[in-house]
Amino acid sequence: MVFYTEYSLEGSNTFNIKAKANVFYEVSLREDLDSFVRKRKFMDMPRLVLGNGSNVLFVKKRFKGVVLKNEMKGIDFVSETDNEVVLKVASGEDFDEFVDFCLKKRLHGAENLSGIPGSVGGAVVQNIGAYGQELKNLVQSVEYYDFDDLEVHTIDNAGCNFGYRDSVFKHELMDKTFIMSVTFKMSKKYTPIIGYGALQERLTGYSVLTPMLVRKAILSLRFEKIPDYRQYGNAGSFFKNPDITPEEAQKMAKQHPEVKMFEQEDGMFKIPAGQLIDLCGFKRTPTPTVGVAYTNALILMNLGGAKGREILDYAKKIKKAVKQRYGVKLEPEVVII
Ligand code: EPU
């Protein structure tokens, strides 16, 4: 059992916010969880499970509780058929390293999720998605430790209740579970997914699409759009891209013809929130410590020494301006703590 007190979280969140945790507890094994729950003092404190800290914003100077840092590692082969391979992946594995591992083993499905920072556990919580692929399409089941009954449970894909950047772990199972592993069903056959505009453009001219080529194209697109958090702290997209109904879309097209929209399979229209933020002029109005990325206004950045509260205040300003001008309500994608 390894734990620290008065722990600085600055290196444990990609916004690089200088918050502290009363207790920081590293979990590498199931036994670490068993030891944790036996400590009454810890169980009585607020809990926060942290993967790579790539989707959180600490707004208070101190987290008055225990941060459970997920350090569970390992990838196990489970089964194989003619078309698929099932892998059980420990939740503390780095998600992009897992994508790379799959490519090297010629297992497919995850290449479009290349370059997303974060852990495998965190990826499930928010059903990460990019370039036409979503994690939910690969997950077979999730194993978690339940802090209420102190048992390990397994839920299947349907039980995860996946939605756009959403899962049961953001609702019913929030704050009472620790995801231990995720079982993925990977395909032996490669079917390229390149419908996403920017990706298609980047791949024009190639007669054969290999998974590695698609991964490289995506990594280069991300590199151009998303600032390196080691330089400017950020958590990728700060807000979700809102969906509007066809009627609302029609109205929007009339009132604001400059706004681009994408029709979805379910008939709803997705508005790139970054575009609305840009149109409201936020690229030109940074504060000394907070601004949006010039390459993508959906990304809020710590320009140096920002407090979590300052980033949140800036996000509120953005939310208000977008609502006022476009009547669209932005919801944060980042978890605010
Ligand atoms: N869109 C399409 N078709 C296209 C292009 C875009 O349907 O050809 C939709 C996308 O589905 C997206 C919206 O239009 O919902 C905006 O697309 P844009 O290229 O502007 O990307 P973004 O809003 O900057 C989103 C994700 C990113 C993901 C990229 C690439 C959210 C909140 N963000 O970013 O995810 O990497 O698309 O797919 O959905 C993150 O969640 O932190 C993140 C970086």
Side-chain angles (χ1 to χ4, degrees), residues 67-268:
V67 168
L68 288 163
K69 175 76 172 77
N70 190 342
E71 295 290 354
M72 287 188 160
K73 303 283 181 210
I75 302 179
D76 291 323
F77 168 86
V78 176
S79 63
E80 180 170 4
T81 63
D82 286 349
N83 304 319
E84 283 165 351
V85 168
V86 176
L87 297 171
K88 187 171 177 179
V89 185
S91 53
E93 284 286 343
D94 179 80
F95 187 77
D96 192 54
E97 281 174 24
F98 167 62
V99 175
D100 194 49
F101 170 92
C102 289
L103 259 91
K104 287 182 177 142
K105 298 272 183 215
R106 294 177 189 271
L107 298 175
H108 310 301
E111 35 306 298
N112 286 41
L113 303 176
S114 285
I116 298 181
S119 64
V120 165
V124 166
V125 174
Q126 62 148 358
N127 181 27
I128 56 168
Y131 301 103
Q133 178 61 302
E134 268 184 301
L135 192 80
K136 69 171 185 188
N137 299 325
L138 308 171
V139 172
Q140 188 175 58
S141 62
V142 177
E143 190 183 50
Y144 66 87
Y145 191 90
D146 188 320
F147 289 112
D148 283 348
D149 64 12
L150 312 183
E151 300 276 350
V152 173
H153 298 267
T154 302
I155 43 169
D156 63 7
N157 184 298
C160 292
N161 224 344
F162 288 122
Y164 168 56
R165 298 295 188 274
D166 203 20
S167 76
V168 71
F169 297 100
K170 280 190 167 183
H171 301 277
E172 295 94 301
L173 296 183
M174 197 171 146
D175 293 335
K176 53 178 256 163
T177 52
F178 186 104
I179 296 176
M180 294 174 61
S181 68
V182 184
T183 302
F184 292 103
K185 212 193 253 183
M186 306 306 296
S187 176
K188 287 186 183 177
K189 187 172 161 273
Y190 178 52
T191 316
I193 307 171
I194 54 151
Y196 198 91
L199 183 60
Q200 208 162 30
E201 235 170 76
R202 180 110 346 164
L203 293 168
T204 332
Y206 287 95
S207 50
V208 182
L209 289 178
T210 64
M212 201 44 106
L213 180 66
V214 171
R215 172 167 167 82
K216 287 200 172 136
I218 286 171
L219 289 176
S220 70
L221 282 170
R222 292 187 72 89
F223 180 75
E224 285 163 24
K225 268 187 99 173
I226 308 176
D228 184 345
Y229 71 84
R230 281 160 291 216
Q231 191 177 9
Y232 296 116
N234 72 81
S237 309
F238 192 91
F239 296 101
K240 295 184 195 175
N241 286 314
D243 275 334
I244 58 172
T245 63
E247 296 74 44
E248 288 166 333
Q250 226 174 20
K251 211 168 126 197
M252 180 70 87
K254 224 189 230 164
Q255 287 177 350
H256 302 285
E258 72 281 15
V259 172
K260 238 189 328 179
M261 291 176 277
F262 294 97
E263 190 172 359
Q264 306 296 295
E265 275 167 16
D266 59 4
M268 299 286 278

Side-chain angles (χ1 to χ4, degrees), residues 24-41:
F24 187 85
Y25 187 99
E26 288 179 349
V27 179
S28 310
L29 303 163
R30 153 84 197 260
E31 287 70 42
D32 294 329
L33 290 169
D34 292 332
S35 312
F36 175 81
V37 298
R38 279 198 297 269
K39 269 205 176 280
R40 191 76 250 161
K41 188 175 79 179

